[in-house]
Amino acid sequence: AASLGISGQVAAAERALALAQRCADAPYFVARVRAEILTKLGRGDEALVVLETELAHLPTNDAEAMVEVVESRVANLRNQLGIRDD
């Protein structure tokens, strides 16, 4: 098998995380890591969808969910993408 370059490896990691995210018992961090990878791949719009979707399902009473971190990342991505809250 041909070896993947670094960008191919990163894209493959994102696809693996997308699959992991579909699991009912996926850890909260999967969406955060996947969104970071999407951002690094120049796919900020997809990263925003991942985080906003995850945020809608995060429990506010579980510190491991890191709701504040996800909210901050969503706000930063919206700003970077020029999306305004009107």
Side-chain angles (χ1 to χ4, degrees), residues 9-48:
Q9 291 174 8
V10 172
E14 185 278 323
R15 288 190 298 274
L17 287 168
L19 290 173
Q21 201 175 355
R22 293 181 190 165
C23 296
D25 60 349
Y28 301 127
F29 70 82
V30 172
R32 293 192 307 270
V33 173
R34 180 177 175 218
E36 274 309 304
I37 290 173
L38 285 167
T39 302
K40 300 277 190 244
L41 290 170
R43 295 162 53 189
D45 53 340
E46 291 176 66
L48 182 60

Side-chain angles (χ1 to χ4, degrees), residues 24-80:
D25 60 349
Y28 301 127
F29 70 82
V30 172
R32 293 192 307 270
V33 173
R34 180 177 175 218
E36 274 309 304
I37 290 173
L38 285 167
T39 302
K40 300 277 190 244
L41 290 170
R43 295 162 53 189
D45 53 340
E46 291 176 66
L48 182 60
V49 170
V50 167
L51 289 177
E52 288 180 332
T53 301
E54 181 73 3
L55 185 58
H57 298 96
L58 289 176
T60 57
N61 61 345
D62 186 343
E64 288 185 18
M66 299 178 72
V67 171
E68 296 83 9
V69 171
V70 177
E71 288 173 337
S72 175
R73 191 65 187 122
V74 165
N76 288 339
L77 273 171
R78 289 177 68 83
N79 186 49
Q80 288 172 13

